[in-house]
Amino acid sequence: MSQISNMDDMKRRIQSLEQENMRLSERAEDSQILAFISQVISQASSKDEMLNKTLEHISMLKNIPIVACCQLQSGVASIVQSYVSFEHRDLNQQSFSCSEPISEMTFWDAPEARLSPLILGCIPTAALLIPFSSQYLGLGFYLFITRDEESNDFEYLALTLERMTDLLTLSLENRSLLKSYRMLNEKLERKVQKRTQSLRDTQEKYQSLVNGADVSIMLYNMTCFIEANPAALSMFHCSREQFFKLSPAELSPEYQENDVLSKNLAATYIEQAIEGGHAHFDWFHQRYQGDIFPCEVHLNRVILKGQTLVQAVIVDLSERLQVQYQLEKSEHRYRSIIENIQDFLYRTNVDGTVTFVAPSVERLLGFSADDLVGKKIQEFYVQPRQREELLRQLHASSDGRVEGIQVELRHKQGHSVWLSNHVHMIYDEAGVFVGVEGIARDLTDLKKMEMQFYQAQKMESLGTLVGGIAHDFNNMLAGMTGTLYLMKAKLGGQNELLKRVDDMETQAFRASDMIKQLLSFARKGEVNLQKLSLSSLFKEVAKLLRQTTPENIELHLDGVDEGLEIHGDPSLLQQIWMNLVNNARDALSDTTSPEIHISLKKCAVDTEIMKQHPYLEYEAELAKMTVSDNGTGISKEHQQKIFEPFFTTKDKGTGLGLAMIYGAVHSHDGWIDVESVLGQGTSFHVYIPLQIEDMTAVELDDENLIAHGHQEMILVVDDDKMIRDVSCELLKSLDYRVIQAEDGQKALALFEAYKDDISLILTDVVMPNMGGWEFAQLVWLQKPDLPIIFISGYAEKEPMTLSEALDYVIILKKPCAIEDLSQSIQKLLGSSQI
Amino acid sequence: MQFINLAGHDMAYKRSGQPQGETMVCVHGITTYSFVWQDVIPYFEQDYDVICIDLLGCGASDMPLDVSYSIQAHAERLHDFLCALNILKSHLLGHDLGGGIAQIFAIQHEPMLKTLTLINTVGYDYWPVQPITALRTPIIRQLLMGALDLGMFKLIIHQGVFHRHKITHALIEQFWQPLRTKEGRKAFMHFARCLDNQDLMMMVEKLKQLSVPTIIFRGDSDPFLTATIAERLHADIANSQLHRIQTASHFLMIDEPEWLAKHWLAGVRSQA
């Protein structure tokens, strides 16, 4: 029995332990289920799903056949969500009466009656009500119903279920709050997005405004630039990186106008902008590469994040000024044309009485319209025959019209005015000839230009003539001077003859100087143009003039504009001044208080100048050299001829002074004007264009020693026998061996025979049969570097270029000094020997 | 998929293979349906008329909650099903709970069987004995949790399939399909609630009287059902063969379909 008792006891203990174990397992599982439900809740996409799934899970995992969530209102419990495990339906939307307050967990035994009229599908054995109060669900309770089959122990499950429903309620509440929060958040986010978008739009607009602007916009923080638009980078020709490293001072030249330091002036403007909010001024800026350009600057004070900045808006005026300049120039031309249109309309009756004349007549004839109306037109004709001829042509024409007939009328001031007339006959209603109507155009300027043209043509013809003569004279002189040199060498100590020969040589060189002047007039002389300061040269010449001008004459230096640079030949320019002043001096011989005024001024091409020199650019800069005297003056007749060579009114004049000046001035692309009134004096104005381009300085060789040779063979070629003979003798005296030919062809034959011995060729340029250049080219085909000296009557452009290019060629001008020739030979032979 | 209406409820089944051949009837277990046989069927279709049924409450069959899903009830419906299709003699194969149904069917309708095949089957009282306990039984409990949670469900499949590479996304989807709906989950719950091992325990003695050729397969890596069931069945059923394989778990048809087919065909031919 005791064994059985022990066994029973053991069984009970085991059973008890098993039960305990089961409950512990169940609790562990409850925790797992809570976590499981928690996961379901967190994964549910909506509150309905959350409620629905949680109720299903509780039902399935805790084996509760009916689970529901009821809202309690006014004693009625309405089922919002439910789960019925044994049927494919639910109890949603059903309700039942529940008058008692459910403030704490409540158990109902045999609840069928309480739950009426719910259609449960079973007979409920017990019910558990767990209350909730939440914002989302309001007041209510979770309802758990069991039936016979499951026989749940609610009292045991209650705590677990309460934890589960608490979790559900809190989660629903959280979800509800979360939803509200999310809605608020979304609303806020939408607002932020809208604001951000609005801000972005504004920013984009601002950026497109700033970036698209064609003026420079930049921000300066008193230390450096912190922002700049693309136009600014473009304006200053630098990259963004380069720009932000620059200070405002580096964007400007050191000085502004009037030698004001940019730095100081900029600081003043910036201060003005900061204090007054705005500053506006014109400024010179400097690009990254150093170019300076004019600008219009607006500085504005800007406050950004509490920091005071200066916004600079810069407009590049270069283009605008250029356009403005072009516009002004164009306007000027237009105005000039308009002002110079001197056409006028007029009408006369049959007897020539003026019945109408346009006011513009006054500009042309000096008479006002009132002066003329009522007067006979023929009174104003210088040659009345011209009117008769006009009427004759009118009547003879088939259409009663004559065009372009030239007439000479009298100006109010006495001088004549040439007009071109377009005239037609006028008739009354009955077809009777009642008068003449015409348009007259001023031809004065045209006439003047015609005269100028004729004069220029004449001077050009003279130049050609004189150039040719001078060339021949040069050849003769070259022969003479060479012969004289040889004579002097051979005479040795015979002093008497030597003196005469010296006199002859002096005369020959004087003649040579005259030839030079003639060549200057003909513009065929040697002109060494170089960049020079005319202002400095003028001052030097002025000193010389003071010394050479007789004391009784007052020489006035009326002014020198500084910094006038031209492209000119200093010796020619000096001669121009000297000759002009000499002429003035000669014109003052009978004057009581003789005065000479000289000046050098800068001037610009104006409309008056353009009338005579239409090829000039308007406002091009010129140097104007003036020499005036209060002497006898030059008559109108003589004024036309004074620049012609050999024209002189002086007893001892050569007539070459002004001719030389004329040619020399034209060699400088300039011109000379004369103003003169008999008995009052004369003014010569020389105009030379100012130049700015660089010129290489001309090196002068002061060497003047006679160099001797060492029996080298020289081929002398010249068609002038005398020159040729003299040259040969001369070269022999300088210890050279010499062979000679009279033209290129014969020289070529000689060259063929002696080419291995010939060290140098001395040749004329212009010769019959074959000229010097052609001969030289044939020689160089065989001996490419053979030195050749060309001796020419006057400088020609081609060989000059050649001589600059080749170091074995020298060109000398006839007549050349023996020193120059010997030095040149030595130079070439020396270089060829190297 | 075909349907037949039995007592007001549609029952789904798949029929393939040779209409003139001998009929094989395949019965699945809990949580699965006819798809579970898909890998093994191709081996039989050449010679047999193969029928895979969806038990009521499973797969594509109706899921009423007011009818019993006990194995006894399923066995009776199986009989009705075969009669309705005029299948009077067939090879009956049952897996898991389907094995329990097949055992009851064999005992009650042995003349209708050519052979009986039990694959990782339930048996005796080594499985849930009554509703409450059933829900407390690890396999059922896990299935229940799994029915509510895909993660848990995947764990069950991972335990029930030996070869990892066989567990594809498509396979998981097939398993999970009926549990996607609240209806499916309720049906499953009802199925679990209806399980009672008393149905089988009452017939233990009758098993020993069976003479139908019986082939018992056991995937030895099955963590849910003990090997003792297979061993006892083999011992109790006189005309039985037991084939075991280490490289298969609970879902042997998925793990080793070829091995299963080969041994089944050999077993059946040896009986013939």
Side-chain angles (χ1 to χ4, degrees):
Chain A
M1 273 304 284
S2 66
Q3 278 183 338
I4 294 166
S5 169
N6 282 343
M7 280 291 284
D8 289 342
D9 188 41
M10 284 289 282
K11 276 183 182 174
R12 275 197 301 276
R13 284 186 180 183
I14 287 168
Q15 203 173 1
S16 168
L17 282 170
E18 275 179 350
Q19 280 179 354
E20 185 64 22
N21 189 37
M22 202 165 73
R23 287 184 183 249
L24 281 171
S25 301
E26 207 162 330
R27 275 181 200 155
E29 195 187 79
D30 283 347
S31 298
Q32 195 183 346
I33 291 170
L34 271 171
F36 192 38
I37 288 173
S38 167
Q39 185 187 341
V40 167
I41 287 169
S42 67
Q43 286 175 352
S45 59
S46 66
K47 284 179 280 189
D48 279 349
E49 188 187 341
M50 189 189 289
L51 194 56
N52 195 3
K53 280 201 167 175
T54 307
L55 295 182
E56 182 185 6
H57 278 59
I58 293 171
S59 167
M60 285 180 74
L61 295 170
K62 302 313 289 182
N63 197 27
I64 300 168
I66 298 172
V67 184
C69 172
C70 308
Q71 277 180 333
L72 192 57
Q73 208 168 10
S74 310
V76 176
S78 305
I79 297 175
V80 269
Q81 198 63 258
S82 62
Y83 183 83
V84 179
S85 70
F86 53 87
E87 282 184 358
H88 288 309
R89 67 177 183 99
D90 54 45
L91 305 176
N92 297 357
Q93 312 303 324
Q94 294 189 39
S95 58
F96 60 97
S97 174
C98 182
S99 52
E100 63 181 289
I102 310 295
S103 55
E104 55 187 19
M105 200 181 290
T106 306
F107 295 95
W108 286 346
D109 285 324
E112 190 174 10
R114 287 174 181 265
L115 297 172
S116 175
L118 294 181
I119 303 164
L120 298 173
C122 67
I123 297 167
T125 53
L128 169 64
L129 290 81
I130 301 173
F132 63 75
S133 169
S134 87
Q135 201 172 339
Y136 171 61
L137 291 168
L139 281 175
F141 53 84
Y142 295 103
L143 175 65
F144 302 92
I145 301 170
T146 189
R147 52 180 186 169
D148 281 343
E149 290 86 337
E150 277 77 20
S151 65
N152 291 97
D153 183 353
F154 272 155
E155 288 198 22
Y156 172 72
L157 281 175
L159 277 175
T160 306
L161 292 174
E162 190 176 31
R163 284 171 69 191
M164 290 177 183
T165 50
D166 280 353
L167 181 66
L168 176 60
T169 309
L170 279 171
S171 299
L172 283 168
E173 196 73 352
N174 281 347
R175 181 65 70 99
S176 177
L177 285 170
L178 204 65
K179 190 181 173 185
S180 304
Y181 168 76
R182 195 173 291 139
M183 278 170 66
L184 277 172
N185 206 28
E186 280 171 5
K187 203 173 168 185
L188 193 65
E189 200 160 315
R190 277 199 297 277
K191 266 188 180 177
V192 169
Q193 275 178 355
K194 203 174 167 184
R195 283 265 180 90
T196 308
Q197 187 57 45
S198 165
L199 204 62
R200 199 172 289 142
D201 288 349
T202 309
Q203 195 176 354
E204 275 175 15
K205 279 179 200 166
Y206 163 77
Q207 275 186 343
S208 71
L209 194 69
V210 171
N211 292 344
D214 60 355
V215 294
S216 295
I217 303 172
M218 53 191 81
L219 278 179
Y220 175 61
N221 70 355
M222 313 307 150
T223 309
C224 59
F225 290 106
I226 56 167
E227 192 53 74
N229 69 345
L233 307 178
S234 171
M235 180 181 283
F236 290 99
H237 291 184
C238 59
S239 69
R240 208 170 167 75
E241 290 71 29
Q242 290 168 334
F243 188 84
F244 290 123
K245 285 178 190 163
L246 295 172
S247 66
E250 287 169 298
L251 292 179
S252 303
E254 193 175 354
Y255 293 97
Q256 293 293 314
E257 278 183 322
N258 304 322
D259 294 337
V260 182
L261 264 174
S262 296
K263 201 174 159 186
N264 296 346
L265 194 56
T268 309
Y269 284 130
I270 289 171
E271 200 179 324
Q272 189 182 328
I274 290 170
E275 285 176 4
H278 182 76
H280 172 211
F281 51 93
D282 288 340
W283 191 258
F284 282 97
H285 266 299
Q286 182 170 300
R287 297 190 215 283
Y288 194 70
Q289 290 78 7
D291 309 340
I292 296 168
F293 58 102
C295 294
E296 181 181 328
V297 180
H298 295 262
L299 297 184
N300 301 302
R301 184 184 59 211
V302 176
I303 302 206
L304 270 183
K305 294 179 184 170
Q307 192 186 5
T308 302
L309 305 172
V310 173
Q311 179 208 47
V313 179
I314 302 175
V315 184
D316 186 346
L317 296 179
S318 314
E319 205 173 324
R320 194 192 291 177
L321 287 180
Q322 186 64 27
V323 170
Q324 200 173 331
Y325 171 76
Q326 293 292 345
L327 192 67
E328 279 174 9
K329 201 168 155 182
S330 165
E331 270 181 7
H332 184 88
R333 280 178 185 274
Y334 176 73
R335 202 181 304 122
S336 170
I337 290 165
I338 295 298
E339 282 174 0
N340 288 293
I341 285 179
Q342 306 219 349
D343 294 0
F344 67 88
L345 191 71
Y346 69 92
R347 200 179 296 129
T348 63
N349 61 18
V350 178
D351 65 0
T353 306
V354 177
T355 55
F356 167 81
V357 64
S360 56
V361 70
E362 191 166 357
R363 272 190 296 182
L364 206 62
L365 297 177
F367 296 105
S368 69
D370 292 340
D371 291 340
L372 293 172
V373 172
K375 301 267 173 58
K376 292 265 177 23
I377 189 77
Q378 44 270 47
E379 288 176 22
F380 299 92
Y381 272 77
V382 176
Q383 302 171 54
R385 278 192 304 105
Q386 286 181 342
R387 173 165 161 75
E388 289 161 20
E389 174 61 19
L390 188 147
L391 290 171
R392 190 192 63 74
Q393 284 187 27
L394 262 181
H395 287 292
S397 69
S398 58
D399 57 354
R401 190 178 291 274
V402 172
E403 289 186 353
I405 190 161
Q406 293 184 7
V407 297
E408 190 179 7
L409 296 191
R410 183 169 52 80
H411 192 273
K412 191 175 181 181
Q413 289 178 351
H415 61 269
S416 64
V417 176
W418 278 92
L419 299 173
S420 170
N421 252 338
H422 294 252
V423 188
H424 62 269
M425 297 166 77
I426 48 177
Y427 302 91
D428 66 7
E429 289 170 357
V432 178
F433 171 60
V434 291
V436 170
E437 194 173 70
I439 297 172
R441 173 168 294 172
D442 184 16
L443 284 180
T444 311
D445 288 341
L446 190 66
K447 286 279 177 193
K448 271 187 192 170
M449 282 177 75
E450 265 179 18
M451 293 296 286
Q452 276 179 354
F453 176 69
Y454 294 142
Q455 179 70 8
Q457 267 195 331
K458 187 173 79 178
M459 298 302 269
E460 197 63 39
S461 308
L462 272 170
T464 309
L465 179 70
V466 166
I469 294 167
H471 175 75
D472 292 340
F473 273 123
N474 241 9
N475 281 346
M476 292 176 214
L477 281 170
M480 281 171 69
T481 50
T483 308
L484 292 170
Y485 174 78
L486 289 173
M487 282 172 73
K488 276 166 74 180
K490 285 184 178 175
L491 282 171
Q494 294 177 28
N495 293 338
E496 187 61 28
L497 278 173
L498 192 65
K499 186 178 177 300
R500 290 179 186 282
V501 172
D502 274 343
D503 288 344
M504 283 170 73
E505 197 177 49
T506 305
Q507 290 302 318
F509 278 116
R510 277 186 189 165
S512 173
D513 285 342
M514 279 181 70
I515 297 297
K516 275 184 190 166
Q517 290 188 68
L518 281 170
L519 287 172
S520 285
F521 166 72
R523 279 178 282 150
K524 287 183 175 173
E526 189 178 8
V527 179
N528 294 315
L529 296 178
Q530 56 189 280
K531 185 180 178 186
L532 57 87
S533 167
L534 193 61
S535 307
S536 305
L537 184 69
F538 177 80
K539 286 176 195 165
E540 290 300 316
V541 174
K543 280 183 202 166
L544 194 65
L545 291 173
R546 280 192 193 287
Q547 289 167 2
T548 55
T549 308
E551 285 180 2
N552 66 317
I553 298 174
E554 280 189 44
L555 181 68
H556 297 278
L557 190 61
D558 283 354
V560 189
D561 280 352
E562 294 294 336
L564 303 186
E565 291 194 334
I566 64 158
H567 189 196
D569 182 325
S571 61
L572 279 182
L573 289 162
Q574 186 174 335
Q575 282 182 48
I576 292 170
W577 269 308
M578 295 297 280
N579 283 354
L580 286 174
V581 172
N582 283 343
N583 281 351
R585 185 195 61 205
D586 293 344
L588 291 168
S589 54
D590 298 329
T591 308
T592 319
S593 303
E595 285 180 18
I596 297 176
H597 293 258
I598 58 172
S599 64
L600 175 65
K601 296 281 181 186
K602 185 176 173 179
C603 69
V605 174
D606 57 16
T607 48
E608 281 305 310
I609 292 174
M610 280 185 78
K611 276 185 197 171
Q612 293 175 35
H613 305 279
Y615 53 87
L616 291 171
E617 272 287 304
Y618 178 69
E619 285 191 346
E621 292 184 330
L622 301 165
K624 181 182 180 184
M625 312 186 303
T626 302
V627 176
S628 305
D629 63 66
N630 57 346
T632 51
I634 307 167
S635 70
K636 287 270 177 195
E637 276 176 79
H638 288 171
Q639 281 180 33
Q640 302 293 321
K641 295 179 179 176
I642 52 173
F643 295 111
E644 293 172 14
F646 308 112
F647 175 83
T648 181
T649 53
K650 300 175 191 169
D651 295 337
K652 292 179 181 176
T654 59
L656 290 174
L658 282 173
M660 173 265 157
I661 291 170
Y662 181 88
V665 169
H666 279 81
S667 294
H668 287 78
D669 294 330
W671 71 94
I672 183 164
D673 282 347
V674 60
E675 283 181 287
S676 189
V677 179
L678 276 173
Q680 290 184 16
T682 305
S683 288
F684 284 97
H685 305 290
V686 174
Y687 297 89
I688 295 176
L690 292 180
Q691 298 286 335
I692 51 167
E693 72 269 27
D694 289 338
M695 290 284 296
T696 312
V698 178
E699 285 184 20
L700 298 173
D701 187 0
D702 293 333
E703 190 58 71
N704 58 3
L705 294 172
I706 297 170
H708 289 255
H710 298 89
Q711 292 302 307
E712 293 93 340
M713 181 179 279
I714 295 176
L715 170 58
V716 176
V717 191
D718 203 306
D719 58 329
D720 190 316
K721 188 173 183 306
M722 191 180 80
I723 290 180
R724 197 168 66 239
D725 290 344
V726 168
S727 298
C728 288
E729 284 298 310
L730 201 139
L731 291 172
K732 281 176 194 168
S733 72
L734 293 174
D735 298 330
Y736 293 103
R737 289 185 290 144
V738 183
I739 54 174
Q740 54 176 298
E742 63 189 62
D743 60 34
Q745 244 173 27
K746 287 178 179 161
L748 199 60
L750 267 179
F751 173 74
E752 294 285 350
Y754 294 94
K755 66 182 163 198
D756 292 337
D757 296 327
I758 294 171
S759 301
L760 185 140
I761 295 171
L762 182 70
T763 180
D764 191 7
V765 178
V766 183
M767 292 181 291
N769 297 327
M770 185 188 287
W773 305 122
E774 192 183 349
F775 163 60
Q777 279 164 20
L778 294 169
V779 165
W780 283 328
L781 283 176
Q782 297 185 51
K783 279 185 90 172
D785 299 335
L786 185 70
I788 299 181
I789 296 174
F790 295 95
I791 300 192
S792 172
Y794 46 75
E796 293 179 27
K797 283 181 182 173
E798 189 188 353
M800 282 299 283
T801 313
L802 197 65
S803 70
E804 283 162 7
L806 303 174
D807 55 7
Y808 46 87
V809 171
I810 288 180
I811 295 137
L812 295 175
K813 184 167 63 71
K814 287 179 185 176
C816 69
I818 188 70
E819 294 87 349
D820 292 341
L821 180 64
S822 68
Q823 288 290 341
S824 301
I825 293 170
Q826 276 299 298
K827 188 178 170 189
L828 291 183
L829 289 179
S831 67
S832 70
Q833 280 159 8
I834 291 164
Chain B
M1 191 60 79
Q2 293 170 278
F3 294 89
I4 188 163
N5 194 279
L6 299 173
H9 302 295
D10 281 345
M11 197 163 153
Y13 64 99
K14 269 184 186 169
R15 193 167 191 172
S16 61
Q18 305 303 321
Q20 305 306 317
E22 294 176 357
T23 301
M24 289 175 71
V25 178
C26 305
V27 184
H28 63 84
I30 191 165
T31 73
T32 62
Y33 52 102
S34 52
F35 88 92
V36 83
W37 301 100
Q38 63 195 7
D39 293 344
V40 79
I41 285 170
Y43 296 101
F44 304 132
E45 284 174 331
Q46 269 193 337
D47 300 313
Y48 294 90
D49 167 29
V50 185
I51 295 172
C52 300
I53 63 165
D54 284 352
L55 292 171
L56 211 60
C58 302
S61 290
D62 282 350
M63 296 175 176
L65 301 178
D66 54 351
V67 296
S68 174
Y69 289 173
S70 70
I71 51 175
Q72 176 60 50
H74 282 308
E76 284 168 17
R77 273 192 291 272
L78 177 61
H79 177 258
D80 295 346
F81 172 80
L82 292 175
C83 290
L85 292 180
N86 202 25
I87 299 167
L88 302 177
K89 198 86 174 175
S90 64
H91 300 279
L92 181 61
L93 294 84
H95 170 247
D96 181 72
L97 205 73
I101 295 165
Q103 286 171 51
I104 292 172
F105 186 91
I107 288 164
Q108 293 176 348
H109 309 285
E110 191 174 3
M112 291 179 76
L113 298 182
K114 281 181 179 291
T115 61
L116 171 66
T117 300
L118 305 170
I119 305 163
N120 284 57
T121 182
V122 296
Y124 307 103
D125 57 355
Y126 299 107
W127 65 288
V129 286
Q130 40 83 24
I132 297 298
T133 317
L135 291 175
R136 296 269 164 263
T137 308
I139 170 69
I140 304 299
R141 196 71 190 151
Q142 278 196 38
L143 286 172
L144 192 63
M145 302 279 264
L148 297 169
D149 178 60
L150 182 59
M152 185 75 85
F153 194 76
K154 281 180 183 172
L155 191 68
I156 294 165
I157 295 165
H158 274 262
Q159 288 173 327
V161 177
F162 180 84
H163 296 297
R164 291 286 173 268
H165 69 273
K166 301 259 184 178
I167 307 165
T168 61
H169 179 69
L171 184 76
I172 300 275
E173 274 298 302
Q174 284 177 317
F175 268 108
W176 184 245
Q177 187 61 36
L179 298 174
R180 281 192 175 282
T181 62
K182 193 186 266 188
E183 265 196 338
R185 293 194 290 274
K186 277 188 180 178
F188 166 77
M189 189 72 185
H190 183 54
F191 203 139
R193 202 177 285 122
C194 291
L195 294 179
D196 191 345
N197 58 14
Q198 287 303 310
D199 292 344
L200 290 180
M201 285 305 288
M202 289 190 320
M203 295 186 185
V204 172
E205 288 307 312
K206 290 182 182 175
L207 276 176
K208 295 174 183 172
Q209 295 166 14
L210 280 178
S211 61
V212 65
T214 304
I215 309 168
I216 304 161
F217 290 99
R218 164 72 189 174
D220 269 336
S221 297
D222 187 345
F224 307 128
L225 295 172
T226 171
T228 311
I229 299 171
E231 288 162 0
R232 265 187 77 178
L233 285 168
H234 179 47
D236 286 345
I237 303 170
N239 193 10
S240 67
Q241 305 169 18
L242 174 60
H243 299 281
R244 301 174 73 155
I245 184 166
Q246 288 295 319
T247 56
S249 182
H250 184 67
F251 299 103
L252 194 149
M253 305 83 78
I254 293 171
D255 273 327
E256 297 291 352
E258 192 178 351
W259 176 88
L260 176 66
K262 185 180 142 191
H263 285 85
W264 186 84
L265 289 168
V268 169
R269 279 167 197 154
S270 70
Q271 293 298 328

